[in-house]
Amino acid sequence: LGLILIGGLILVATSLTAGWLARDNTIEYHLLATIINFGLFLLGYRVATSRRIKTKSLIIQASLTTVAWQALQIVGGLLVQHQLNRLDVLYGSFAIVLGLLFWLYLIARVAVYSIELDVVLSRQFWPRGVTEKLTAADKRFYTANAKMRKRHQIEKVEVTFSHRR
């Protein structure tokens, strides 16, 4: 529920700052919108993740999502302003709905990729090997993956690696 409320707050804050941007398209308003969105994305990621994860480790994913959000808003606004206003009412409405769905898809993909990148960086799951020989990052990943699947406190998960030809 908290995440849905924060998502709604992000949309309202973004809409308000976009309204200000429509009046005065200056760098100050873009900076203000970026700062507001960064804070809201950081808050959203904080609510959505475990308390064991420190807030400072969420900064990378909040930053990447904020930059992508701002870029998609600017490009989307320019597209609507310069391309879609020439269409008639029926085709224009259809194009806006499809464009909005695609925009939401893109921002969701960027959010997922930024979360994955943050996990890889914070847990040092890189560089991963491409051959049969496991790297230290491979072993960290496989160990964490096995321990993540533990379902009950009485379970004991041990991970060992052996190489057979």
Side-chain angles (χ1 to χ4, degrees):
L1 182 62
L3 189 58
I4 292 171
L5 291 174
I6 291 171
L9 188 60
I10 289 171
L11 288 175
V12 168
T14 301
S15 298
L16 290 175
T17 54
W20 290 330
L21 289 173
R23 285 193 330 233
D24 299 325
N25 195 6
T26 61
I27 194 72
E28 290 87 11
Y29 286 108
H30 285 287
L31 186 60
L32 175 66
T34 303
I35 291 169
I36 290 170
N37 287 329
F38 173 75
L40 291 172
F41 277 116
L42 187 61
L43 180 64
Y45 286 132
R46 174 73 275 156
V47 168
T49 57
S50 170
R51 297 287 174 232
R52 293 181 299 184
I53 298 173
K54 293 180 173 59
T55 302
K56 76 175 192 173
S57 68
L58 302 173
I59 290 175
I60 292 174
Q61 63 195 41
S63 301
L64 291 173
T65 308
T66 301
V67 168
W69 181 272
Q70 288 299 115
L72 284 171
Q73 270 198 313
I74 291 168
V75 169
L78 291 172
L79 183 66
V80 168
Q81 184 179 13
H82 294 292
Q83 297 296 324
L84 298 181
N85 65 354
R86 292 185 240 164
L87 300 175
D88 63 17
V89 176
L90 176 65
Y91 292 122
S93 300
F94 188 67
I96 287 175
V97 169
L98 286 178
L100 181 61
L101 288 173
F102 184 65
W103 186 83
L104 290 172
Y105 168 77
L106 283 177
I107 197 63
R109 294 295 290 217
V110 167
V112 168
Y113 290 149
S114 64
I115 291 168
E116 289 176 353
L117 177 65
D118 191 52
V119 169
V120 167
L121 292 176
S122 66
R123 293 194 179 184
Q124 298 177 345
F125 288 157
W126 55 274
R128 297 288 304 272
V130 293
T131 62
E132 286 184 16
K133 185 175 181 190
L134 296 177
T135 66
D138 289 328
K139 291 179 181 179
R140 279 192 302 273
F141 172 76
Y142 290 129
T143 302
N145 192 21
K147 289 182 178 181
M148 178 188 69
R149 298 183 188 281
K150 181 177 164 183
R151 297 289 180 215
H152 198 275
Q153 292 296 331
I154 62 172
E155 287 182 286
K156 184 177 179 182
V157 176
E158 292 181 12
V159 180
T160 58
F161 299 96
S162 64
H163 184 68
R164 296 182 189 174
R165 289 210 164 201

